[in-house]
Amino acid sequence: TIDLPEVDLSDALTGLGGRVKSPAASGPAPPLEDVFGQMRARADRESQLQNAQAQYAAAIDHANHGRLNQAIAAFESAAKVPLMRFQAGTRLGRLHVARGDLAKGVEWLERASQAPPTTPDDGYAVQYELADALERVGESTRALAVLMELSAEAGAYRDVPARIERLSKVQTGG
């Protein structure tokens, strides 16, 4: 028989999410099927994200060429993936508001506002647009709540203090 040196694969496996550690450091390694399950799950997530990004790009193209129904369908498809929900939901909300469908606009802006924004300023803009759409559909109480949350996060963003004051007066009847 030939004596082969023992090989430690922990360095090679650390790219699998940092969960595989040296047996000496944390006990026995997870079963191999768990490691492969993690790899498959990561590949599935990456594939879903790539598909959503492709749908988002197609939606932008459709919107730019006036194919709004196709744009809406592609944005909705992209929004199903959590990492694309903010971007696609924002575009959907704005598209519906621009088309005069304020109820759908509110629905999508609200979904977008609940997802992590690409930047804080983008998040503030969506909250502001949501409050505006809510006010336009007659939901001044909800609009006021969104504006107060926005004020707490962003301070004196745009005309938020004045809108809060005006909507507060509407709520109190004065």
Side-chain angles (χ1 to χ4, degrees):
T1 65
I2 300 174
D3 272 342
L4 295 175
E6 192 172 311
V7 177
D8 181 3
L9 294 177
S10 59
D11 288 338
L13 296 175
T14 55
L16 300 176
R19 294 187 181 156
V20 179
K21 297 197 178 357
S22 158
S26 64
L32 194 54
E33 60 267 10
D34 289 352
V35 172
F36 285 121
Q38 290 172 6
M39 291 172 65
R40 279 190 297 276
R42 179 182 292 146
D44 286 346
R45 283 190 307 272
E46 288 174 5
S47 175
Q48 287 176 352
L49 178 58
Q50 288 173 352
N51 289 338
Q53 288 170 330
Q55 286 293 316
Y56 183 81
I60 298 285
D61 184 61
H62 288 311
N64 287 341
H65 289 93
R67 299 183 302 265
L68 300 184
N69 290 335
Q70 294 93 330
I72 288 169
F75 280 133
E76 286 176 352
S77 179
K80 290 177 184 174
V81 175
L83 288 174
M84 292 299 296
R85 189 159 298 135
F86 179 81
Q87 291 172 286
T90 298
R91 291 285 190 138
L92 272 165
R94 289 173 178 163
L95 185 57
H96 284 299
V97 167
R99 293 179 86 183
D101 189 348
L102 294 175
K104 282 272 193 195
V106 164
E107 176 187 338
W108 281 105
L109 288 171
E110 194 162 39
R111 286 185 192 186
S113 74
Q114 293 168 355
T118 48
T119 68
D121 283 341
D122 289 343
Y124 303 151
V126 168
Q127 284 182 291
Y128 185 86
E129 291 174 52
L130 173 59
D132 185 64
L134 284 166
E135 187 177 357
R136 290 171 59 189
V137 296
E139 294 195 42
S140 59
T141 302
R142 286 179 63 201
L144 179 59
V146 171
L147 289 168
M148 290 174 73
E149 182 180 335
L150 178 56
S151 178
E153 293 175 17
Y157 184 79
R158 296 187 189 176
D159 65 341
V160 168
R163 291 183 113 182
I164 289 173
E165 183 177 334
R166 183 177 48 75
L167 287 173
S168 294
K169 288 179 183 175
V170 169
Q171 294 300 309
T172 60

